[in-house]
Amino acid sequence: MINSGKVSGDYATLDGDVYNHMVRVLRMGSGDSVQLADENGNVRCGVIEQVTRERVTVRISSLLDNAAGDSEAPRITICQALPKGDKIDLILQKGTELGAHDFRLFGGCRSVVRIRDDQLTGRLERWNRITSEAARQCGRSDVPAVSWRSGAQEAADDSGQELRLILWEGERERTLKEALALQAKPVSVAVAIGPEGGFDPLELRHFTRQGFQPVSLGSRILRTETASIAILAIMQYVWGDL
Ligand code: SAM
């Protein structure tokens, strides 16, 4: 998803994570056709005109109707603290099948696994291959992008979604059912899920300061991969296309 502020007239100039995903992961180049969805649900079709070391310039040819009309499921971003081992493979594969729009992975305070800078490009390529393969297998026309943030603060700060939830087993007031019932169908949703050790209090505070509402999934403590898959299925059932 791009920020609509990156569009000026008939051109979109893309950098940062979107650049990395397009150029480094999907290996796109001049002449390739692209579809660019923004936070307002607009989808612009265009062709890559120029690729430099930091920017991609897309010449826009058409603007599709608001693709997130009432009949469309919300665009769901899974903000997932990195879990141990290959659990992330399951989360990415099942989340893709369940219609996640994109995955924003981050290093949680209590994440056991740490990613060194020199490992990041390879891991992003691998994670995006998992979502590409899962999308192909389940017949999706779009492929959820997988991006990385170094910590919870960066993951929380970067959220322009209309509805933001953080799954927290310590929440006693608000159940997920109440949170969804109080909310008209959003265009976009971000959901934060902690690693095996859960969220650190500072992380929880930062997410809530960025508008993430803590919600409970009930009295049982779910594994991080179970919680991630369950919240997607529930939201797709309530607002989406399940
Ligand atoms: N800190 C927890 C413990 O050991 O007591 C474990 C965290 S749980 C394994 C991993 C993540 O799944 C949590 O950070 C939370 O995001 C989510 N989660 C699991 N069970 C949940 C529940 N009942 N309500 C809300 N979130 C839950």
Side-chain angles (χ1 to χ4, degrees):
M1 176 156 69
I2 68 163
N3 182 312
S4 54
K6 301 288 186 183
V7 178
S8 169
D10 291 340
Y11 288 88
T13 306
L14 309 171
D15 54 9
D17 284 326
V18 174
Y19 172 92
N20 289 332
H21 185 63
M22 291 172 75
V23 175
R24 298 222 171 86
V25 175
L26 299 179
R27 305 223 184 276
M28 300 183 96
S30 294
D32 284 346
S33 301
V34 291
Q35 284 198 350
L36 303 172
D38 68 18
E39 71 280 12
N40 304 312
N42 296 310
V43 177
R44 294 173 178 84
C45 301
V47 176
I48 295 177
E49 196 153 84
Q50 186 189 33
V51 180
T52 65
R53 288 171 56 82
E54 293 177 342
R55 283 182 180 71
V56 173
T57 304
V58 174
R59 184 168 44 76
I60 293 164
S61 52
S62 61
L63 172 64
L64 301 182
D65 292 340
N66 181 326
D70 285 347
S71 62
E72 293 290 309
R75 288 194 310 283
I76 303 170
T77 297
I78 294 293
C79 299
Q80 176 72 47
L82 194 63
K84 281 189 292 195
D86 57 3
K87 290 180 184 178
I88 192 60
D89 298 19
L90 185 75
I91 291 168
L92 294 176
Q93 185 186 67
K94 300 313 168 198
T96 298
E97 293 170 42
L98 285 167
H101 177 269
D102 65 301
F103 297 89
R104 184 180 303 156
L105 309 186
F106 64 92
C109 284
R110 298 178 183 172
S111 287
V112 173
V113 178
R114 294 283 168 226
I115 305 251
R116 296 194 314 270
D117 289 348
D118 63 330
Q119 295 174 310
L120 188 53
T121 302
R123 293 290 174 86
L124 278 168
E125 285 174 357
R126 180 170 175 279
W127 292 332
N128 282 280
R129 271 199 306 274
I130 291 171
T131 56
S132 296
E133 177 48 31
R136 190 192 58 73
Q137 177 273 328
C138 71
R140 279 183 66 161
S141 58
D142 62 326
V143 179
V146 185
S147 61
W148 174 256
R149 300 295 186 285
S150 54
Q153 185 155 338
E154 292 75 12
D157 290 352
D158 203 0
S159 295
Q161 285 78 6
E162 184 183 338
L163 172 64
R164 296 164 216 164
L165 303 174
I166 178 168
L167 299 189
W168 182 48
E169 61 281 10
E171 175 60 32
R172 293 291 174 267
E173 303 297 317
R174 187 187 296 121
T175 65
L176 177 64
K177 189 175 286 184
E178 286 155 356
L180 300 189
L182 295 174
Q183 167 79 32
K185 181 197 283 192
V187 169
S188 55
V189 187
V191 187
I193 301 112
E196 291 84 356
F199 282 115
D200 170 279
L202 281 178
E203 291 177 320
L204 186 64
R205 189 163 63 200
H206 197 84
F207 273 108
T208 50
R209 279 196 184 140
Q210 295 299 326
F212 282 74
Q213 303 171 38
V215 289
S216 165
L217 291 181
S219 58
R220 291 181 296 279
I221 299 294
L222 309 178
R223 289 175 181 265
T224 186
E225 62 272 29
T226 310
S228 195
I229 293 167
I231 187 66
L232 255 175
I234 292 165
M235 287 199 291
Q236 287 288 38
Y237 173 73
V238 172
W239 285 318
D241 49 9
L242 267 200

